Amino acid sequence: MGEVNWRRLGGDGLEFFGRMTAGVTHELKNHLSTIKEQTGLISDLLALAARGRPLNGERLERLAEGIIRRVAQTDEVIRRLNYFAHGTDAGRQTADLGEIVWNIVTLSRRLASMKGVELEAAPVAAPVSVEGHPFFLGQMVFLCLERALVAAGSGGRVEVSVVEGEAWVECLFTGRLAGPITPESLEATVGPALKAWLGASLIGEPSGGLRLRLPRISPDL
């Protein structure tokens, strides 16, 4: 692939990686802040009990359960971030597009929440295999998702689903949208380098949704 294209891909890829990790670390910080607050309350209860006040076992149990939930949520975020980060060192391989989509959707929930948009990924019954670079596939999905969130607007809803054919696979972005997700609105953001690298096509839906069509084997021009 030409040097100019790689510079564009690399620069845009670094920006995408930075945005995703920054958003996730904010989410992790929020979880840790809540855990710190709950452990502080437990310490206060124990200190009061040491001074003779009866220990409120029910409240203590609720706080402990809250910490357990937060730890599980934090662990899941870290697992998703780990999956995302390993996409940069995986190189070209056969990957599950459904897993890539689900991971990007999961990592983008904070962004959707900030925009007041409900975000969901439709369940995929079986792996949807594609051959290419997981990181760049995820970047393409995210750029489409980001535009879908804008089209939905506050109070809207975006659902991302995966559809497969014999020679291609598709990510379908639909939902409760305030306006259409047009391919034209994505062209400048996506850029020709990434589209050519993946062999991607952007197709507008009559309903206002968007189809991201990808060959099962990325050309990697």
Side-chain angles (χ1 to χ4, degrees):
M1 189 173 67
E3 184 181 358
V4 174
N5 280 351
W6 175 247
R7 285 178 177 175
R8 175 66 188 270
L9 278 172
D12 289 351
L14 281 173
E15 181 182 348
F16 165 59
F17 187 88
R19 290 183 63 193
M20 293 298 286
T21 53
V24 173
T25 53
H26 279 298
E27 186 177 356
L28 289 172
K29 186 176 179 180
N30 289 340
H31 285 315
L32 291 174
S33 178
T34 300
I35 291 171
K36 180 180 179 180
E37 179 183 348
Q38 290 172 326
T39 54
L41 291 172
I42 289 176
S43 295
D44 291 343
L45 289 175
L46 294 175
L48 289 172
R51 292 198 293 269
R53 179 178 294 187
L55 187 63
N56 188 332
E58 186 177 335
R59 188 181 181 195
L60 188 63
E61 184 178 359
R62 286 200 305 269
L63 288 169
E65 288 174 350
I67 291 173
I68 291 170
R69 282 195 302 272
R70 283 287 179 170
V71 169
Q73 291 167 354
T74 303
D75 182 70
E76 177 62 14
V77 173
I78 292 172
R79 191 169 73 87
R80 288 290 127 198
L81 179 60
N82 181 263
Y83 178 91
F84 171 73
H86 276 299
T88 63
D89 61 27
R92 186 183 178 94
Q93 63 174 272
T94 299
D96 179 5
L97 183 63
E99 180 72 8
I100 292 172
V101 167
W102 194 86
N103 198 62
I104 292 296
V105 167
T106 300
L107 294 179
S108 301
R109 290 196 192 283
R110 180 177 178 273
L111 175 63
S113 178
M114 290 171 61
K115 293 181 178 294
V117 180
E118 183 184 350
L119 176 60
E120 294 296 336
V124 181
V128 179
S129 61
V130 290
E131 184 182 319
H133 288 254
F135 177 78
F136 291 112
L137 288 166
Q139 181 183 1
M140 190 73 183
V141 170
F142 174 77
L143 291 172
C144 294
L145 173 59
E146 187 176 40
R147 184 59 205 169
L149 295 176
V150 172
S154 182
R157 183 176 187 275
V158 171
E159 181 172 309
V160 188
S161 54
V162 176
V163 181
E164 58 180 328
E166 289 189 12
W168 50 263
V169 293
E170 291 181 338
C171 294
L172 179 60
F173 301 83
T174 57
R176 190 168 61 251
L177 308 173
I181 315 167
T182 61
E184 293 76 17
S185 67
L186 270 162
E187 291 295 339
T189 304
V190 171
L194 183 59
K195 284 183 65 179
W197 179 247
L198 299 175
S201 301
L202 300 169
I203 306 166
E205 284 283 286
S207 64
L210 178 78
R211 287 182 184 270
L212 164 62
R213 178 169 288 184
L214 300 160
R216 281 196 178 271
I217 302 177
S218 296
D220 286 4
L221 300 174

